[in-house]
Amino acid sequence: MSLHICEKKLTDSRIATMLLALAAVASVIRQADILVPYRLLWYLNFTWILPAAFLLCKNGKSFLDRRLWGYYAFTTIFAAYCIVMQVVSGSIFMGKDLLNIVISIGIMATSFVYWKNYGNRPNLHFILQCLLLITAASALK
């Protein structure tokens, strides 16, 4: 009798799911700033680059889905408004509000592309379990 070890292959779906879970967990840690030293919190914002870059490489055309165009248009119009108002008034309009909108649209588009290409019940359960564990850990701390 031979011993068989079941190896799970590292598929694109698993990689995308792990990267999205990592980014979501980092977002929770970022909000509950008790698990990480304060000076490191800023770097947690960049974890969303990992799933976004992976999805851009694997499914770049999905970011151009028509259902995302309205969000991209809103962001573009808001950015143009900020630029015009800053030039006209001399006040600072290109600030945190615009940055927050761009980041939010990036996270939303990344999540959309992930779900469109790799979303299913087991992957969603994995992401939710990771979020549940980190939330419980932050509550206990």
Side-chain angles (χ1 to χ4, degrees):
M1 179 185 255
S2 63
L3 179 63
H4 294 285
I5 298 173
C6 180
E7 290 186 24
K8 292 186 177 182
K9 292 184 178 179
L10 201 55
T11 63
D12 287 348
S13 177
R14 289 176 199 252
I15 294 169
T17 301
M18 287 188 289
L19 291 174
L20 195 75
L22 174 68
V25 165
S27 292
V28 170
I29 292 171
R30 172 82 172 93
Q31 297 303 313
D33 59 1
I34 57 175
L35 297 174
V36 177
Y38 185 77
R39 65 185 182 283
L40 298 178
L41 290 177
W42 168 252
Y43 299 105
L44 292 176
N45 290 329
F46 298 105
T47 55
W48 279 99
I49 292 172
L50 299 172
F54 179 81
L55 293 169
L56 272 169
C57 290
K58 293 292 181 180
N59 308 94
K61 288 184 181 179
S62 294
F63 281 91
L64 299 176
D65 190 291
R66 285 181 174 257
R67 292 172 281 187
L68 295 172
W69 288 5
Y71 301 102
Y72 295 153
F74 168 77
T75 305
T76 304
I77 291 168
F78 186 70
Y81 169 79
C82 289
I83 291 168
V84 168
M85 291 306 294
Q86 189 164 325
V87 168
V88 170
S89 71
S91 298
I92 297 174
F93 279 83
M94 301 283 289
K96 288 184 179 184
D97 291 333
L98 178 59
L99 180 63
N100 286 336
I101 288 174
V102 169
I103 290 171
S104 297
I105 295 298
I107 291 171
M108 186 264 320
T110 300
S111 301
F112 175 87
V113 171
Y114 168 79
W115 188 256
K116 179 180 175 185
N117 293 289
Y118 304 111
N120 58 42
R121 189 179 203 93
N123 289 352
L124 182 60
H125 281 214
F126 175 76
I127 294 168
L128 292 175
Q129 287 169 353
C130 292
L131 289 172
L132 181 63
L133 287 173
I134 196 63
T135 304
S138 66
L140 293 175
K141 176 104 177 164

